[in-house]
Amino acid sequence: MDKFVVETSPNLQGSIRVSGAKNSVLIIMAASLLAEGECVIEDVPNLLDVHVMIDLLRSLGSEVHYDIEKEQLTTKVIDPTITDASYELTNRMRASIVVMGPLLARRKRANVALPGGCPIGARPIDLHLKGFRRLGVNVEIGHGYVEGRVDGDMHGNTIYLDFPSVGATENILMAATLAKGTTIIENAAQEPEITDLASFLTKMGANISGAGTSTIRIKGVEKLKGVRHQVIPDRIEAGTYMVASVITKSKIFVDNVLPTHLRPLISKLEEAGVIITPEGNGLYVDARNGYKGVDITTLPYPGFPTDMQAQFMAMLTVCEGVHRIRETIFENRFMYVNELMRMGAKINIDGSSAMVSGVNHLEGAQVKSTDLRAGAALILAGLVAKGKTEVFEIHHVDRGFVSIEKKLQSIGANIKRVQG
Ligand code: UD1
């Protein structure tokens, strides 16, 4: 089994380039199922999850070509009659559920294996289904599958989400593009990935307003066409490299970012005393004078992202004082804390809160990624731990970070991938 071997890396410097956003590209690929004609997607990161989505699109009748060098993906629906997404594929990636909206919209039926639990919590899809039902879809669950059927047409409606779920907002938004009449999603998620999806759909001919706010209005259209689209940069990957600079008290340039999408992170790092200076398409992160601890509460965008919680935890483990991290999005997102504690971190978990008491130093240890972002946090911890850290189960990391070891090596980090 592959592992990362990380050693103390006191002085990072240079520039690191952020790839296209995983959470955007997966949904945009799913949305290509709506197009009559070819879609060309640019800045597609070479990630395990992208390859799973390619397999899924192919199994649903799309012809897909992915040029890894050019980071360009071309996809076209050849057979629009397939409506079953198999367990073998959907089980490999939770985000697969977002094919349901496009399938219902264009093919009037979708039979998708129910996503199971995952290491960060139960992750139900009730809000997705509530939205579909409000649009007139008959939804039935049985034998591990969820089946949606539309008799006649879907009809626009007002849908209030009890929680601003990213996936539910995306799925309902895609389903509503071809429904008759107007759909209003209230308490919609406002994440930048929603805005990116809406801009892709709008180019395709959809009529959408309000994406990026809590109320999205979609006026159904007859059909959507194939288009070319460039995916936004990955704000979580950017944030992870920003924390790499901070934890090692270095100065690096993080290239290819949209600072507005990073506002919650920039503001927290500035509160910690880090100097952030935007320049061109990137920003300098200067922590050479050290950093102070901060308290964090994860929230839906524009609050602090849950996908950066673990990386900030790593940063706080070696920071003077006691600081609190509250996780409000996922019920079980502190699993990796035990791994940090094996490296000498002092963390007390009480329900959804973690109290982090800074220690002088961490010690290298053998640890395992429990999920994608946790794996990144363990690598960050390894950069400042004394001695060697071996991070196992790195397939989680490969799901969402493009060549993380090569990118970190390019700014002077002591990390290598060891095949085993
Ligand atoms: C997306 C991101 C993920 C990120 C998360 C929150 C993708 C592929 N993944 O996941 O990286 O951590 O947003 O920013 O974009 N919930 C329900 N019922 C539902 C749907 C969600 O109760 O029908 C709950 C979930 O269990 C969770 C919370 O809502 O506690 C947030 O989930 P959601 O916003 O839907 O996240 P995802 O779209 O799964």
Side-chain angles (χ1 to χ4, degrees):
M1 208 189 302
D2 289 8
K3 64 182 174 189
F4 288 128
V5 178
V6 190
E7 293 190 68
T8 325
S9 308
N11 188 20
L12 303 184
Q13 50 189 320
S15 167
I16 200 161
R17 192 173 189 282
V18 173
S19 301
K22 169 181 90 78
N23 287 352
S24 231
V25 78
L26 294 176
I27 315 306
I28 283 171
M29 286 170 73
S32 73
L33 290 168
L34 290 163
E36 291 179 26
E38 183 180 273
C39 290
V40 180
I41 312 171
E42 317 261 14
D43 263 3
V44 176
N46 184 17
L47 299 170
L48 268 185
D49 276 4
V50 164
H51 290 277
V52 176
M53 188 53 97
I54 290 174
D55 290 346
L56 185 56
L57 290 183
R58 285 186 178 140
S59 80
L60 290 170
S62 289
E63 196 175 77
V64 187
H65 176 72
Y66 180 26
D67 184 330
I68 294 179
E69 282 295 301
K70 281 197 191 156
E71 300 191 311
Q72 190 185 74
L73 188 138
T74 310
T75 173
K76 187 174 178 194
V77 175
I78 302 295
D79 180 357
T81 63
I82 306 171
T83 52
D84 288 4
S86 75
Y87 176 74
E88 286 74 28
L89 284 167
T90 53
N91 179 46
R92 283 165 62 198
M93 184 178 63
R94 225 200 146 270
S96 309
I97 192 70
V98 293
V99 298
M100 195 158 177
L103 289 180
L104 287 169
R106 187 147 173 234
R107 307 184 187 180
K108 311 279 183 200
R109 179 180 177 267
N111 190 33
V112 180
L114 280 170
C118 78
I120 59 175
R123 303 187 77 167
I125 54 161
D126 55 314
L127 298 171
H128 303 232
L129 303 186
K130 171 181 163 179
F132 293 148
R133 286 192 174 107
R134 296 274 299 167
L135 295 175
V137 179
N138 293 313
V139 178
E140 276 177 37
I141 295 181
H143 304 283
Y145 277 77
V146 53
E147 180 174 17
R149 274 179 187 281
V150 186
D151 296 325
D153 290 311
M154 267 198 264
H155 287 277
N157 206 340
T158 299
I159 298 159
Y160 174 84
L161 296 178
D162 305 332
F163 181 87
S165 152
V166 176
T169 304
E170 292 164 339
N171 235 340
I172 297 165
L173 173 57
M174 290 187 282
T177 52
L178 296 177
K180 295 264 177 260
T182 299
T183 299
I184 299 171
I185 310 177
E186 293 175 338
N187 200 27
Q190 302 176 42
E191 268 69 2
E193 293 74 23
I194 307 280
T195 319
D196 202 22
L197 170 64
S199 92
F200 178 63
L201 293 169
T202 304
K203 279 186 210 165
M204 288 164 81
N207 187 338
I208 302 167
S209 60
T213 75
S214 61
T215 306
I216 305 180
R217 203 175 287 263
I218 309 117
K219 211 169 154 212
V221 295
E222 282 290 313
K223 59 181 184 177
L224 298 170
K225 62 175 189 290
V227 290
R228 179 177 284 264
H229 184 77
Q230 184 179 9
V231 174
I232 56 171
D234 196 306
R235 63 199 165 97
I236 305 302
E237 190 196 11
T240 303
Y241 295 134
M242 290 165 78
V243 174
S245 179
V246 176
I247 199 169
T248 56
K249 300 185 180 160
S250 307
K251 178 181 178 185
I252 67 163
F253 185 68
V254 184
D255 197 11
N256 191 34
V257 300
L258 288 169
T260 47
H261 295 172
L262 295 170
R263 211 180 311 131
L265 296 177
I266 292 176
S267 131
K268 267 296 155 193
L269 290 177
E270 285 180 339
E271 190 185 324
V274 179
I275 301 164
I276 312 245
T277 320
E279 195 178 291
N281 288 332
L283 39 82
Y284 283 100
V285 183
D286 185 355
R288 287 172 300 176
N289 290 330
Y291 62 95
K292 298 189 299 259
V294 284
D295 293 330
I296 283 158
T297 300
T298 64
L299 286 169
Y301 191 85
F304 187 91
T306 173
D307 285 352
M308 283 301 299
Q309 183 249 96
Q311 298 89 317
F312 268 65
M313 179 83 80
M315 186 180 122
L316 294 178
T317 58
V318 282
C319 177
E320 210 179 307
V322 181
H323 296 95
R324 186 170 90 141
I325 295 189
R326 256 188 82 217
E327 171 60 54
T328 74
I329 309 294
F330 290 109
E331 59 187 12
N332 200 8
R333 212 167 191 180
F334 288 137
M335 294 262 286
Y336 67 96
V337 161
N338 285 330
E339 304 299 307
L340 281 176
M341 286 167 68
R342 299 188 63 247
M343 298 176 74
K346 282 201 179 136
I347 304 166
N348 271 315
I349 304 288
D350 183 8
S352 60
S353 287
M355 297 303 296
V356 193
S357 309
V359 293
N360 269 337
H361 65 267
L362 297 173
E363 287 166 8
Q366 291 172 311
V367 288
K368 67 165 190 278
S369 312
T370 49
D371 75 69
L372 153 64
R373 311 302 176 186
L378 294 169
I379 293 173
L380 295 175
L383 295 176
V384 289
K386 284 195 175 160
K388 189 163 82 174
T389 300
E390 293 177 285
V391 183
F392 291 86
E393 312 251 345
I394 61 174
H395 56 275
H396 287 295
V397 182
D398 291 333
R399 279 188 43 222
F401 290 90
V402 178
S403 309
I404 192 168
E405 77 283 14
K406 292 198 185 112
K407 289 197 184 187
L408 284 172
Q409 282 160 8
S410 76
I411 52 168
N414 203 333
I415 174 171
K416 61 179 186 235
R417 180 186 292 258
V418 176
Q419 265 146 13

